[in-house]
Amino acid sequence: KLDINYFHIFPYSKKEGTPAAQFNPQVHGKIKSSRAVLLKELNRKKRTEFIQRLKNIELPFLIEIPPSGADTPKGISDNYLRVAFPGINPSNYNKIIRGKITKTAPLTGSVIN
C-alpha cells in the first residue's frame, strides 16, 4: 500500500557466525528466487503507477552534465526519477530547473518557463 517507486531486492545469503545463520529452517534457494521475481514485478507495477501520477506535474530537477558519448542530458528529481531533457540549453547544467514529465516510456521531460 506504500507509495514506493523503487525496491532494492536481493536474496539473503547465509553468513556463518551471524544470528540469522542459526535460523531453522533456512529458506530454499528456489523459494528465494521465486519471491524475488514476484517482488520485481510488484516493483515494476508500483514504479509505473508512481510515474503516471507525476506526469505533467511541475517538479524540480537537477540537470546533470551528460557523460561523454551521451546524446541527451538528464535531470534527477527530488524523488530520484532520472528524466531525459532533450534539447535543454547547456546553461542549465548543474542547475535546478522547474520541469515536468511529458512521456513515461522512456522518461522524458520538458522545462517549464
Side-chain angles (χ1 to χ4, degrees):
K1 294 180 184 179
L2 292 175
D3 190 21
I4 296 175
N5 76 0
Y6 176 77
F7 298 2
H8 184 80
I9 302 165
F10 58 94
Y12 162 77
S13 297
K14 184 176 177 179
K15 297 202 188 290
E16 294 304 323
T18 64
Q22 305 304 314
F23 292 172
N24 282 311
Q26 293 285 318
V27 177
H28 190 272
K30 287 184 180 183
I31 294 172
K32 287 187 220 181
S33 295
S34 68
R35 289 177 180 173
V37 168
L38 291 172
L39 284 170
K40 287 176 185 177
E41 177 56 27
L42 179 59
N43 180 63
R44 186 201 58 75
K45 181 181 177 220
K46 297 287 286 178
R47 184 169 176 78
T48 299
E49 290 170 357
F50 181 80
I51 292 168
Q52 284 296 335
R53 283 194 304 278
L54 292 176
K55 188 174 179 187
N56 295 315
I57 303 292
E58 187 173 325
L59 299 168
F61 290 91
L62 172 62
I63 303 300
E64 301 171 318
I65 297 172
S68 179
D71 48 343
T72 305
K74 293 188 176 179
I76 188 162
S77 68
D78 57 359
N79 48 17
Y80 304 104
L81 294 176
R82 196 169 298 281
V83 177
F85 282 88
I88 195 165
N89 190 317
S91 67
N92 287 312
Y93 294 171
N94 288 328
K95 292 183 181 171
I96 296 175
I97 58 103
R98 302 299 298 172
K100 64 181 179 179
I101 296 170
T102 55
K103 187 175 167 188
T104 59
L107 271 175
T108 307
S110 66
V111 176
I112 296 174
N113 292 321

